[in-house]
Amino acid sequence: MDKLKLYFDGASVDKILRTSVSLFGREDRFCWPFRLDGIYTIKTGYHVARNEKSLQNNNPSTSVDLKFLRQEIWNLREPETIEHAWLLCPWTRAAWFIAQIQCCHMALTVSSFEKWMMELLGKMRLNAGAIYDLVWEVWKARNLAIYQKINPNPIMVIHKAKLMELEFAKMIEEPVKHATTSVGATAAVFRDHNRTLLSGINSTIVVASPLAVEALAVRAALIMSQNFLMQKVIIESDNQILIQALKSHASVAEIQVVLDDIRHLTRGIPNCGFTWVPREANSLAHEVARLTHQGALHQNWVMHKPISIRNILRKDNLAVSMLGNNS
């Protein structure tokens, strides 16, 4: 930690500590954290850039400056002005007019696109992102008209811009989820077919999300299973995203390194499966993790169980006996 602080700023140290690494020397690869599959797309890049800008300036009337506008809007290569392309062309005028803001542009009232945008935001105090979405869709529609001879449809442009705004609203909180680091705890408990507690592992970690914690716990459990030379293992977790990814071999960018390690470890166990259980059925592991996080669990806790763990085991044993009697 001290060495990291010598060479990196606080924000970078935070990100480094939250980065999962492979235990088997796998090669590094680029991963885009704002998509589940880790693949970068222009659309998500645009959304993230917009979100970062909005976080810096929350006031709509001051959130856009001329420099940022120049960076956001691609320069036209056609022999026409930006003002004509985005504001004064007959079909773009129709799009702006029938949009929610209902602007009616004329050559006499538009001196430059940037000044017009700043004045609009200042007077109407609109969400800058909504206007950006409309500009973006206008730009795409003009490209289709020029290069593929597809006639632009103002109503369709407005519809697509609205969909983009709604999509952005859903994912705007995603970068925030990756913004903080805290100390958490992992726990895995080993039980036989009668759900009798055999052993357990637990540790404190620097954590990025509950999903990452669960994935690290599964990896630790599989390592211990191999050390015990177990031939048949069923991993239970109450995290649906993790179990679905393991069952379908899907990618999850946030934990991909750990997923790859888990899949590597399962190849060393003859019979290994994964199943989802409700949180209530995973209460023992959660209690071990909670006590570990609080520093209230001694090293030999399996042999000398705390009262809360004994109570959970007693309740589980009662449930198993009742199930056996009913069958």
Side-chain angles (χ1 to χ4, degrees), residues 24-56:
F24 304 102
R26 297 179 181 275
E27 293 185 0
D28 293 337
R29 61 184 179 186
F30 289 106
C31 183
W32 180 243
F34 303 106
R35 271 177 60 99
L36 198 62
D37 58 10
I39 299 174
Y40 174 81
T41 64
I42 293 177
K43 179 182 287 188
T44 55
Y46 164 76
H47 283 322
V48 172
R50 244 188 63 186
N51 184 46
E52 289 181 351
K53 188 64 181 179
S54 65
L55 290 175
Q56 295 172 7

Side-chain angles (χ1 to χ4, degrees), residues 50-251:
R50 244 188 63 186
N51 184 46
E52 289 181 351
K53 188 64 181 179
S54 65
L55 290 175
Q56 295 172 7
N57 302 285
N58 292 323
N59 188 341
S61 64
T62 60
S63 63
V64 184
D65 54 35
L66 298 184
K67 181 180 179 180
F68 184 65
L69 279 170
R70 288 290 191 184
Q71 293 173 344
E72 284 292 301
I73 302 171
W74 296 351
N75 291 327
L76 283 177
R77 301 182 186 278
E78 294 78 42
E80 60 179 340
T81 65
I82 292 177
E83 289 73 32
H84 181 268
W86 267 292
L87 302 177
L88 301 177
C89 177
W91 83 266
T92 56
R93 288 181 63 191
W96 284 103
F97 181 73
I98 60 179
Q100 185 177 358
I101 56 178
Q102 293 186 332
C103 294
C104 185
H105 311 121
M106 295 183 293
L108 295 177
T109 60
V110 177
S111 58
S112 76
F113 178 79
E114 294 92 338
K115 290 182 179 179
W116 171 83
M117 180 76 85
M118 292 295 290
E119 290 175 0
L120 180 66
L121 291 173
K123 291 178 181 178
M124 304 185 69
R125 306 184 70 82
L126 292 170
N127 183 338
I131 299 179
Y132 280 136
D133 288 333
L134 185 53
V135 171
W136 177 254
E137 291 299 330
V138 168
W139 167 251
K140 292 196 296 184
R142 288 189 61 80
N143 281 340
L144 291 175
I146 293 171
Y147 298 111
Q148 299 184 28
K149 309 302 180 183
I150 299 177
N151 291 330
N153 184 329
I155 296 178
M156 185 60 66
V157 167
I158 294 171
H159 176 67
K160 289 182 178 180
K162 187 61 179 177
L163 289 179
M164 180 177 283
E165 181 67 18
L166 292 174
E167 182 179 345
F168 173 67
K170 292 180 181 178
M171 67 175 292
I172 192 169
E173 295 181 358
E174 185 65 20
V176 178
K177 296 179 183 177
H178 299 269
T180 59
T181 295
S182 60
V183 177
T186 63
V189 294
F190 292 81
R191 310 173 96 168
D192 62 16
H193 62 285
N194 292 320
R195 300 195 68 79
T196 301
L197 178 63
L198 302 177
S199 184
I201 52 176
N202 54 294
S203 63
T204 56
I205 58 171
V206 176
V207 60
S209 71
L211 177 60
V213 173
E214 199 76 11
L216 290 170
V218 169
R219 184 174 69 178
L222 287 172
I223 292 173
M224 194 167 181
S225 299
Q226 283 197 347
N227 292 338
F228 286 163
L229 301 178
M230 293 183 178
Q231 301 297 301
K232 184 176 181 179
V233 177
I234 298 177
I235 300 292
E236 297 180 341
S237 171
D238 57 39
N239 191 295
Q240 289 185 329
I241 295 177
L242 176 61
I243 295 301
Q244 288 173 358
L246 290 171
K247 282 179 169 292
S248 63
H249 298 280
S251 297

